[in-house]
Amino acid sequence: MAEITLNFPDGAQKSYEAGIKPIEVASSIAKSLAKKSVSAKLNGHYVGMNDPLTEGGDFQLITTADEESLDILRHSTSHLLAQAMRRLPKFAHAHFGVGPFIENGFYYDTDNGAGNQVSVEDFPEIEAMMKKIVKEDLPILSHEISRAEALETFKDDPYKVELINDLPEDEPISVAVQGEHIELDRGGLVPSTGWIKHFKLVSVAGSYWRGQSDNAVLQRVYGTAFWNAEDLEADLQRRAEAKERDHRNIGRDLDLFFTSQKVGSGLPVWLPNGATIRRQVERYIVDKELANDYLHVYTPVLSNLNLYKTSGHWDHYREDMFPPMDMGDGEFLELRPMNCPSHISVYQHKPRSYRDLPLRIAELGMMHRYEKSGALTGLSRVREMTLNDGHTFVAPDQLEEEFKSILKMTMAVYEDFNITDYRFRLSYRDPENTAKYFDDDEMWEKSQAQLKRAMDDMGLDYFEAPGEAAFYGPKLDIQTKTALGGEETLSTIQLDFLLPERFDLTYVGEDGQDNHRPVMLHRGIVGTMERFTAYLIEMYKGAFPTWLAPLQVQIIPVNNGAHGAYANKIKQKLQEAGLRANVETKEAKMGYLIREAQTKKVPYTLVLGDDEQDNQTVTVRRYGQQETEKMSADAFKDLVLKDVANYSRVAE
RNA sequence: GCCGACUUAGCUCAGCUGGUAGAGCACCGCUCUUGUAAAGCGGGGGUCGAAGGUUCGAAUCCUUUAGUCGGCACCA
């Protein structure tokens, strides 16, 4: 029998008889290792623990201690789900799409025919069958098959047939078998169904086959799995707690904003509390921009449609714009979907010299987009929004430096908000589908390289995302995760060689010629006020830092009659210092009022009675704390002012 | 926009197979009136998302429609 040589990750080499299984290799090293080994990798490809090794090479065992093992578990759980559904009469003839692991679990796309879709009500029955199959502890074995065999095996599964037909000619096709169930599969599975003990089906939702909106919609069943019950329980708990962070719930509980059918879908109304938070953010960012040489302007939300025809927005986004208003005299007005053409008009208003550059125009610009109904979500996806928009016009040789300075300002803002969880994404055009983008290969190559070079210069980590560029150029997007786990763009810096061309922007160079073409940078730091506020709500779970809190100080007189006047005096003192304070006059027991101040997450609660009044002091209780502290009214004022001045930064 | 689920008082929700609406919190009133997470009693409030239909009778069944939610697609 032939021998094969395996190279282990620690550098060791060992020879085995060909046909040996990873489980046997593991046992030869240590019994305990065999017990916790989930799968193996040979030369970077998965091999099941019970599949024979026919060749040597770099060999690695994956154990339950490896992060990767969770992916394997979840991938296996998706197969288990499919097998269980097939065993139930109701789903015996269901067709299956793909069933991969994802970040927090797995999903499987199913098609049980219109009107018979799987629903959450079916979950208990499916889960019960899954558990039964786990008990059967069916071995999971993989092997290669020919294309013809594969097509024969999956002939009743049209989606699988499509997948097989789309595999490149030279790609080997493998399947995974567990009991009566067979899956088209590349590997990375647990040794047997008995390994899958702790799992849960989470939700089901429609989803286009292969992500193409002209394809059929399949029912995507989501689930998750863990190695032990505690982790599963903790994850389900996390999912439930994430809902408590949802800005839509907090927005209602704290009276921040509402949306209603009466006003219109996707058109949020900012209540006083929410408006206060927004106003603080707006004042903050405008001041920051002014300090960074931005020139703030006001431009109309409504403009001549031709502006957007020239810019290309009309061509690219007509479907997502509000219909133009026909004024009857040949003029068409459009609710602007973007502010760039307005700021370009500012640039064009008079001849520009190279000495003016970089020219930085900024505005809290309100824009309207007719977002598809299914996309609307609270404040994070709306039809009317105000963008923290800025456009910088630079000479081509100033581009990289300006890019870097914008990025520095952005990161300084993040520090003030104590935003630490973000990633840089370089968004390039999709090389497979260049039709959606401005057609100038050289421009794309050059600007994408410039972007990358600037990031490398600054020594920042990033990932590259083909297909995420704007139609006019590549961009740097700063990505974050929302409370509910969604990926979201917080800030963006976009390179634009196109619009200066389209609008024929020029500046007078040192040579006196007014034929030099500037480059534009589009940037948003705190994004739209709507989305950013939603983000803040979720990040702080409604417990806003003092500088943003709608109400900063709640004052509770022990007795309205006896201490009301003193309470009002303190309130006035605080208000004169620019703070937001309120005296509670409701007739209620103190415990009740204290509780209310805490549930409304007011940063500071003052209780004022005889003692305070006699000594001109206040008794302070901070949000989330039980202890109280007595201090002079002035000391308290200074304390809060200092807190406000610190923004959200981590206290020194 | 697509698929599915949901829509009952300001909020959270109950209301079995059709017999014309209920709780808690909130709100208002009264009683109580001095110290850190819910005092007691009483009251007002809903054409059950909307429109059509079936029925002697519809919150409940059917159709259409709107919105919300979960995803997908889209996201300048």
Side-chain angles (χ1 to χ4, degrees):
Chain A
M1 192 83 182
E3 288 220 328
I4 56 170
T5 303
L6 300 181
N7 314 316
F8 292 91
D10 63 0
Q13 281 197 341
K14 262 176 126 173
S15 293
Y16 296 91
E17 252 178 40
I20 191 166
K21 297 167 178 175
I23 184 73
E24 293 159 354
V25 175
S27 292
S28 77
I29 300 167
K31 271 237 169 71
S32 60
L33 182 63
K35 245 181 145 174
K36 62 178 187 179
S37 291
V38 180
S39 185
K41 264 185 180 170
L42 183 66
N43 297 321
H45 295 287
Y46 281 114
V47 187
M49 291 304 287
N50 294 302
D51 297 327
L53 296 167
T54 53
E55 55 177 31
D58 293 332
F59 182 81
Q60 183 193 354
L61 287 164
I62 294 157
T63 74
T64 51
D66 295 314
E67 193 90 351
E68 196 177 346
S69 72
L70 266 186
D71 296 341
I72 292 169
L73 172 66
R74 289 161 179 175
H75 178 192
S76 308
T77 315
S78 83
H79 290 188
L80 178 64
L81 164 67
Q83 182 174 19
M85 284 179 67
R86 278 267 165 77
R87 280 196 186 181
L88 296 167
K90 187 174 175 187
F91 303 115
H93 304 290
H95 295 143
F96 289 88
V98 293
F101 65 84
I102 50 175
E103 197 180 332
N104 297 313
F106 66 89
Y107 67 76
Y108 216 128
D109 284 341
T110 70
D111 178 0
N112 198 40
N116 293 306
Q117 289 100 335
V118 57
S119 84
V120 286
E121 278 153 39
D122 300 312
F123 284 2
E125 197 184 353
I126 297 171
E127 285 171 338
M129 182 57 82
M130 288 169 77
K131 283 181 183 140
K132 185 162 176 283
I133 299 170
V134 168
K135 276 228 178 75
E136 291 170 17
D137 197 18
L138 303 171
I140 300 173
L141 296 166
S142 296
H143 64 271
E144 275 188 30
I145 60 174
S146 71
R147 185 166 293 253
E149 281 175 291
L151 289 171
E152 174 60 23
T153 304
F154 294 103
K155 65 176 189 296
D156 295 328
D157 246 319
Y159 302 110
K160 299 290 186 192
V161 167
E162 191 180 324
L163 291 171
I164 294 165
N165 284 329
D166 281 4
L167 285 171
E169 276 303 325
D170 52 343
E171 177 106 358
I173 297 173
S174 61
V175 292
V177 179
Q178 53 194 64
E180 82 286 0
H181 189 67
I182 183 162
E183 289 271 357
L184 181 68
D185 191 82
R186 273 205 202 91
L189 296 164
V190 297
S192 70
T193 58
W195 284 66
I196 311 167
K197 289 196 174 70
H198 309 284
F199 60 87
K200 180 92 187 146
L201 299 182
V202 174
S203 62
V204 56
S207 155
Y208 295 111
W209 167 235
R210 304 188 109 181
Q212 304 287 130
S213 56
D214 28 286
N215 282 349
V217 174
L218 309 189
Q219 300 310 117
R220 180 169 292 179
V221 179
Y222 288 87
T224 192
F226 286 88
W227 289 120
N228 57 65
E230 299 79 62
D231 288 351
L232 174 63
E233 195 43 52
D235 183 71
L236 297 176
Q237 190 73 29
R238 260 195 303 279
R239 286 169 196 259
E241 276 167 16
K243 288 198 181 113
E244 290 172 28
R245 272 185 191 271
D246 191 319
H247 75 278
R248 290 166 294 188
N249 297 332
I250 295 177
R252 184 190 58 237
D253 292 345
L254 300 185
D255 291 313
L256 303 181
F257 70 93
F258 70 86
T259 52
S260 87
Q261 212 165 338
K262 273 185 203 157
V263 176
S265 224
L267 303 171
V269 176
W270 294 75
L271 294 166
N273 288 344
T276 300
I277 295 165
R278 171 175 171 169
R279 190 167 56 251
Q280 298 313 311
V281 174
E282 289 182 344
R283 286 177 176 170
Y284 165 84
I285 196 67
V286 170
D287 285 348
K288 192 82 178 176
E289 286 169 346
L290 293 175
N292 280 274
D293 298 320
Y294 278 80
L295 306 169
H296 261 264
V297 298
Y298 295 100
T299 59
V301 290
L302 203 59
S303 297
N304 193 300
L305 180 61
N306 289 329
L307 222 43
Y308 310 104
K309 287 187 175 169
T310 305
S311 69
H313 287 103
W314 180 247
D315 271 354
H316 280 83
Y317 298 107
R318 190 180 313 200
E319 294 302 308
D320 304 303
M321 288 165 66
F322 278 89
M325 290 168 238
D326 182 347
M327 304 316 291
D329 57 358
E331 187 185 35
F332 287 84
L333 292 178
E334 179 64 30
L335 272 171
R336 69 173 170 196
M338 243 306 164
N339 309 314
C340 10
S342 308
H343 292 180
I344 286 172
S345 306
V346 173
Y347 179 94
Q348 286 178 311
H349 179 63
K350 61 181 188 182
R352 300 292 177 180
S353 142
Y354 73 95
R355 294 175 193 275
D356 298 330
L357 306 183
L359 183 71
R360 305 182 179 93
I361 310 289
E363 178 175 9
L364 292 168
M366 186 188 276
M367 18 188 243
H368 294 79
R369 297 179 182 176
Y370 191 75
E371 299 284 1
K372 301 273 187 298
S373 60
L376 300 174
T377 306
L379 283 181
S380 39
R381 198 76 184 269
V382 293
R383 289 183 172 154
E384 177 188 277
M385 70 215 95
T386 300
L387 184 65
N388 164 229
D389 212 356
H391 294 95
T392 302
F393 300 84
V394 295
D397 63 357
Q398 297 172 322
L399 181 62
E400 282 187 40
E401 198 187 330
E402 182 66 10
F403 173 85
K404 288 177 192 169
S405 87
I406 294 171
L407 186 48
K408 275 186 202 142
M409 173 167 53
T410 304
M411 289 167 76
V413 170
Y414 285 6
E415 269 179 48
D416 287 341
F417 281 95
N418 193 24
I419 295 172
T420 53
D421 175 25
Y422 57 86
R423 291 159 298 288
F424 295 114
R425 179 178 81 185
L426 297 189
S427 300
Y428 301 152
R429 78 174 160 166
D430 182 356
E432 307 285 303
N433 176 17
T434 53
K436 3 186 330 197
Y437 308 96
F438 170 46
D439 180 25
D440 180 342
D441 292 343
E442 197 195 324
M443 180 286 278
W444 281 97
E445 294 308 322
K446 190 178 129 201
S447 55
Q448 290 179 181
Q450 262 182 311
L451 200 56
K452 191 169 152 65
R453 190 164 59 233
M455 292 300 285
D456 288 337
D457 275 0
M458 291 179 78
L460 295 168
D461 282 336
Y462 54 82
F463 65 100
E464 293 165 289
E468 296 291 341
F471 72 86
Y472 46 70
K475 52 184 180 156
L476 168 73
D477 292 317
I478 307 182
Q479 300 298 114
T480 191
K481 279 255 155 59
T482 68
L484 300 173
E487 184 84 356
E488 195 168 270
T489 300
L490 261 181
S491 309
T492 182
I493 309 176
Q494 313 179 347
L495 272 43
D496 183 1
F497 294 84
L498 176 63
L499 294 188
E501 204 68 46
R502 291 233 168 135
F503 283 91
D504 193 22
L505 302 185
T506 59
Y507 64 91
V508 181
E510 283 177 78
D511 58 6
Q513 300 296 306
D514 189 5
N515 59 3
H516 298 266
R517 186 76 79 205
V519 182
M520 274 177 80
L521 285 140
H522 305 237
R523 43 107 291 186
I525 296 181
V526 293
T528 69
M529 301 320 301
E530 287 74 13
R531 184 173 288 188
F532 192 70
T533 304
Y535 172 77
L536 292 178
I537 292 170
E538 295 182 357
M539 171 173 159
Y540 298 124
K541 210 174 172 183
F544 295 98
T546 309
W547 73 292
L548 295 173
L551 179 64
Q552 296 168 320
V553 185
Q554 175 72 313
I555 303 171
I556 301 173
V558 172
N559 177 290
N560 271 332
H563 315 117
Y566 179 59
N568 277 312
K569 192 182 129 195
I570 298 293
K571 174 190 168 192
Q572 200 178 353
K573 182 197 266 297
L574 295 171
Q575 281 183 333
E576 279 166 4
L579 297 171
R580 300 183 286 277
N582 175 58
V583 174
E584 181 59 68
T585 54
K586 190 155 56 185
E587 285 293 337
K589 295 280 185 265
M590 244 184 60
Y592 180 91
L593 298 176
I594 298 279
R595 177 176 189 276
E596 194 171 55
Q598 292 292 314
T599 55
K600 293 291 181 191
K601 309 185 193 226
V602 182
Y604 296 94
T605 303
L606 300 184
V607 172
L608 306 181
D610 288 341
D611 188 43
E612 289 79 2
Q613 187 165 299
D614 294 346
N615 301 301
Q616 297 292 297
T617 59
V618 296
T619 297
V620 187
R621 174 167 170 163
R622 288 182 192 245
Y623 170 72
Q625 297 189 356
Q626 306 217 319
E627 316 78 70
T628 60
E629 198 183 341
K630 196 167 282 191
M631 63 182 78
S632 77
D634 284 323
F636 175 70
K637 185 190 77 182
D638 292 343
L639 172 77
V640 182
L641 285 174
K642 200 172 155 215
D643 188 3
V644 167
N646 191 52
Y647 299 125
S648 311
R649 286 188 297 249
V650 182
E652 299 111 54

